[in-house]
Amino acid sequence: MKIRAAVLQRLGAPAPYAQSRPLEIEEVELAPPGPGEVLVRIAAAGLCHSDLSILNGDRPRRTPIVLGHEAAGVVEALGEGVTDLAPGDHVILVFVPSCGHCAPCAEGRPALCEPGGAANVAGTLLGGARRLSYRGEPMDHFVGVSAFAEYATVSRRSLHKIDRELPLEIAAMFGCAVVTGVGAVVNTSQVRPGQTVAVVGLGGVGLAALLGALAAGAARVIAVDLAQDKLDFALALGATDSVNASDPDAAKRLRDMTEGGVDHALEMVGSAKALEFAYKVTRRGGTTVTVGLPAAIQTLNTPVWHLVAEERTLKGSYLGSCVPRRDLGRFIALYRQGKLPVDRLLTGRLKLEEINEGFDRLQRGEAIRQIVTMP
């Protein structure tokens, strides 16, 4: 079938993207689902810094490619062997398909699925197929999703079924911002009631983490960013304190106000400098978690003796260390109870044709979560 999609033609186009137009709305071919696959009509897709890092060349991928990994939609057709979904079902798309059989999956860590990770790197679906083509040539899938399009053919193992009462534009955010941010708090860092948390970087994922820390019962949740408007927004969401990272003494100030540092510091920027800051403000015996994906050339310099003499923990978190089948339902329940108001992170709705302008706003830090809605 022929579909409309935002096709990234080249990496590293200069901002403003509204002028350089790295994403062009083009007609691409989408093959029907094969065995174990599902055709989904995309209803809503979020703009995320992970997409921006491909667009600006920080994390290169083969082009042309259809980006978009945070999305929700409606099942249209089923491939052979898919018996637990039906046309009309509402689904969230998950950007790491899990095979269910490899060692990480068997350990309850599907975010580290080995076949899923290999397929994402190769640009295929979990089963090894490519269902997209452009001008007669096969095209890579972006992390098995490629959601900046009217439809997507994906692996069944990239989908999580939800009920139809949850608005799809809100459901889309659960596929990345919420699962990653909240998951980093409750799964990776394992924040406990009464503890102190610093969230470094207040984009969509960072603010979701902030909401997750509040829902987990943290006594103090300290928002850290360079932008004062984001700090003000974090306070409006319930952060107990804020620290502007542009202050040369910001790390010392945060350590002083917490009498030695926080129990948990979460870095959400994708910057080695931000991670160094997060590590500096973590107390003795505390945990520093990094969620952001920086350019591959960035490295971290930190005194190794801290890890031993201060019993520090430094951890990475991918997909919020989540088990989507377990965690997405829990996070949606918290949202419905008013304990995880992620709808407040939705700061703009776009048409597919406005996607370059949306990435300009994201790049300038003027938006939290913008959602492309499909007619």
Side-chain angles (χ1 to χ4, degrees):
M1 63 187 294
K2 296 183 185 298
I3 64 170
R4 294 169 65 251
V7 179
L8 177 63
Q9 302 282 5
R10 64 194 185 282
L11 303 177
Y17 303 123
Q19 296 179 14
S20 60
R21 312 298 295 180
L23 294 161
E24 295 287 351
I25 309 306
E26 301 272 9
E27 187 177 84
V28 302
E29 289 280 348
L30 181 65
E37 297 171 0
V38 179
L39 175 66
V40 177
R41 176 175 62 81
I42 302 297
L47 273 61
C48 176
H49 273 92
S50 294
D51 301 301
L52 181 60
S53 69
I54 307 297
L55 190 152
N56 66 20
D58 283 349
R59 296 168 54 216
R61 299 294 292 255
R62 285 188 294 266
T63 57
I65 192 170
V66 178
L67 299 179
H69 65 284
E70 178 186 88
V74 180
V75 171
E76 290 285 312
L78 305 174
E80 180 184 349
V82 180
T83 59
D84 58 344
L85 290 175
D89 284 345
H90 288 198
V91 289
I92 293 170
L93 288 82
V94 179
F95 63 86
V96 181
S98 55
C99 72
H101 305 294
C102 68
C105 285
E107 294 169 355
R109 305 179 75 184
L112 302 181
C113 175
E114 293 167 347
N120 282 0
V121 170
T124 69
L125 301 184
L126 182 61
R130 289 181 176 86
R131 304 300 181 194
L132 283 168
S133 59
Y134 178 63
R135 296 178 180 174
E137 296 294 329
M139 177 190 283
D140 282 0
H141 295 261
F142 182 51
V143 293
V145 178
S146 289
F148 293 151
E150 294 174 319
Y151 293 85
T153 295
V154 301
S155 168
R156 167 64 184 92
R157 295 185 177 274
S158 294
L159 298 175
H160 177 80
K161 182 181 175 181
I162 58 174
D163 66 57
R164 301 186 187 189
E165 295 179 5
L166 182 66
L168 287 168
E169 64 182 20
I170 303 301
M173 293 191 288
F174 282 84
C176 178
V178 178
V179 76
T180 302
V182 180
V185 171
V186 300
N187 292 326
T188 315
S189 210
Q190 297 185 6
V191 172
R192 297 291 181 259
Q195 292 187 315
T196 54
V197 178
V199 179
V200 182
L202 302 176
V205 176
L207 288 168
L210 185 146
L211 292 174
L214 292 168
R220 295 184 76 177
V221 180
I222 303 166
V224 182
D225 202 279
L226 295 167
Q228 188 58 46
D229 59 336
K230 289 188 176 181
L231 294 171
D232 293 340
F233 185 54
L235 291 170
L237 287 176
T240 57
D241 308 89
S242 67
V243 172
N244 195 312
S246 64
D247 181 351
D249 295 321
K252 181 180 183 302
R253 181 183 162 207
L254 199 155
R255 286 195 304 269
D256 289 345
M257 65 193 290
T258 54
E259 299 181 350
V262 293
D263 296 304
H264 304 273
L266 296 98
E267 181 273 318
M268 301 288 181
V269 180
S271 158
K273 185 175 181 180
L275 179 54
E276 288 175 4
F277 180 95
Y279 191 77
K280 284 179 182 178
V281 301
T282 305
R283 68 167 179 83
R284 292 166 60 90
T287 299
T288 309
V289 169
T290 177
V291 172
L293 285 169
I297 60 172
Q298 293 194 35
T299 58
L300 177 67
N301 295 309
T302 190
V304 177
W305 69 269
H306 281 171
L307 291 170
V308 178
E310 298 188 357
E311 289 196 358
R312 301 280 203 96
T313 300
L314 177 60
K315 303 177 73 173
S317 178
Y318 193 51
L319 195 71
S321 305
C322 279
V323 179
R325 183 179 296 235
R326 175 195 69 196
D327 293 329
L328 281 171
R330 294 176 178 179
F331 298 164
I332 291 170
L334 288 172
Y335 164 70
R336 285 180 163 147
Q337 294 164 13
K339 297 176 182 177
L340 200 64
V342 295
D343 55 315
R344 296 180 65 182
L345 307 184
L346 177 54
T347 55
R349 296 171 177 82
L350 310 171
K351 297 178 181 178
L352 190 60
E353 293 79 6
E354 299 170 323
I355 195 166
N356 286 298
E357 291 80 358
F359 275 112
D360 277 328
R361 285 188 286 274
L362 184 63
Q363 190 266 338
R364 293 193 298 260
E366 297 173 357
I368 304 302
R369 255 320 184 255
Q370 302 170 91
I371 299 292
V372 174
T373 58
M374 305 294 178

